[in-house]
Amino acid sequence: MKPAPFAWHAPEDLAAALALKAQHGGEAQFLAGGQSLVPAMNFRVAQPAVLVDLNRVAALDSLAFDAEGTLRVGAMCRYRRIERDAEVARRLPLLVEALAEVAHPQIRNRGTLAGNLCHADPASEMPAVMLALEARFRLCRHDGERVLPARDFFLGPLATALAEEEMLAEIQIPALPPGTGTGFLEVARRRGDYAMMGVAAVLRRGPEGRCVAARLALCSAGPTPMLAERAAASLVGTRLTAEDFAAAAALAVAEIDPMGSVQASPAYQRHLAGVLVPRALALAAERAA
């Protein structure tokens, strides 16, 4: 298959890219790594009249911690750069651990985190990880910008809160407080396939060893990445025992809404969640200690 005809623009700064999007509106698409958009164009599922290629916008290829410890990831930062960064691995191990499960090295060499999040596939690992890490997204347009929490960004399968003229220019991931442990686990048919179920867990222990905060997010668990809020809340104040994890898993299974796939029925996905949630929580609790 070949894509439908389109015009191609390669601006060299963010302002020019946003101006092109404002000019062409819904007929234009931003091109970053192209790992989702280009196949969709080849199959003519997506038929943008204009491509705004961001690969020459050097300012968007950024990866750095600010003075407050927040990781700021630009729209053109490749997966592989994040995955190989030693400081990211030290400060945000959940991000690097989950990135290793995303597709294959060839895809991660080219693909971008921002592009993945804008594609908003509920089976993808990164949207769930962003929920677990309480990430924020800086959305820019030609006449201004806004910052949106990750939990408000994903609206449905392949649907986000991005307005027609907006670009996801930067992902902001806040620092993890002391005493925090994280864990990511998934089950896929083959390495690199979309997960049949994936779980991202974040736990923080207080001085006495009890849980003082918890976040639990799942992929392939509903029409969007799913936050298991009741399950996470049930852990606060506990000693984080196996029994606590089992009780949280039961709540999580009741909270999710898996849609099923050719590889796994909704019932099997719920079963997987019941197995993976306590394991991911145990891993996070061990690391928090």
Side-chain angles (χ1 to χ4, degrees):
M1 296 289 290
K2 294 183 178 180
F6 60 88
W8 176 75
H9 298 274
E12 297 189 356
D13 60 63
L14 178 59
L18 295 173
L20 282 165
K21 191 70 168 77
Q23 177 184 349
H24 296 285
E27 293 186 343
Q29 288 260 32
F30 290 118
L31 173 66
Q35 303 305 289
S36 299
L37 178 58
V38 171
M41 290 174 62
N42 285 340
F43 284 104
R44 303 206 175 191
V45 174
Q47 297 187 41
V50 177
L51 275 188
V52 181
D53 189 339
L54 301 177
N55 282 272
R56 295 181 183 176
V57 184
L60 292 177
D61 186 11
S62 58
L63 180 71
F65 289 92
D66 65 16
E68 297 179 350
T70 296
L71 178 63
R72 295 178 177 269
V73 184
M76 286 306 302
C77 183
R78 314 287 178 183
Y79 288 131
R80 202 63 167 172
R81 183 177 174 191
I82 305 169
E83 186 181 3
R84 292 177 172 177
D85 191 285
E87 194 64 12
V88 174
R90 185 178 73 83
R91 297 196 197 190
L92 294 167
L94 176 61
L95 181 57
V96 174
E97 188 172 31
L99 270 175
E101 303 293 340
V102 174
H104 302 283
Q106 297 91 331
I107 299 296
R108 300 199 296 274
N109 283 338
R110 186 69 185 169
T112 64
L113 176 58
N116 172 277
L117 299 175
C118 291
H119 188 55
D121 192 322
S124 181
E125 295 88 352
M126 287 299 102
V129 170
M130 294 300 105
L131 291 185
L133 292 175
E134 298 184 279
R136 303 180 297 270
F137 301 153
R138 183 165 68 92
L139 311 180
C140 295
R141 53 187 294 157
H142 73 290
D143 57 357
E145 64 178 58
R146 59 182 175 136
V147 176
L148 196 66
R151 65 179 301 154
D152 296 332
F153 184 74
F154 304 102
L155 303 182
L158 311 185
T160 73
L162 273 170
E164 186 174 87
E165 297 181 2
E166 284 183 324
M167 174 200 299
L168 172 51
E170 184 182 69
I171 301 104
Q172 303 169 358
I173 306 175
L176 293 174
T180 300
T182 63
F184 182 85
L185 293 173
E186 72 171 42
V187 172
R189 184 170 176 268
R190 298 172 301 184
R191 182 67 181 246
D193 283 2
Y194 279 119
M196 291 184 279
M197 180 58 60
V199 178
V202 180
L203 296 176
R204 179 157 59 95
R205 290 183 184 270
E208 297 180 355
R210 292 185 180 274
C211 178
V212 296
R215 299 274 292 182
L216 191 62
L218 299 90
C219 61
S220 281
T224 65
M226 302 293 288
L227 267 178
E229 295 183 289
R230 288 193 297 125
S234 74
L235 294 165
V236 176
T238 71
R239 289 284 183 184
L240 298 176
T241 65
E243 291 74 18
D244 298 326
F245 300 150
L251 289 171
V253 169
E255 287 186 81
I256 62 176
D257 184 26
M259 299 184 294
S261 68
V262 296
Q263 297 178 346
S265 66
Y268 185 56
Q269 287 179 301
R270 289 185 186 278
H271 166 74
L272 289 176
V275 173
L276 292 178
V277 166
R279 293 182 183 180
L281 290 171
L283 186 60
E286 179 182 352
R287 292 169 174 173

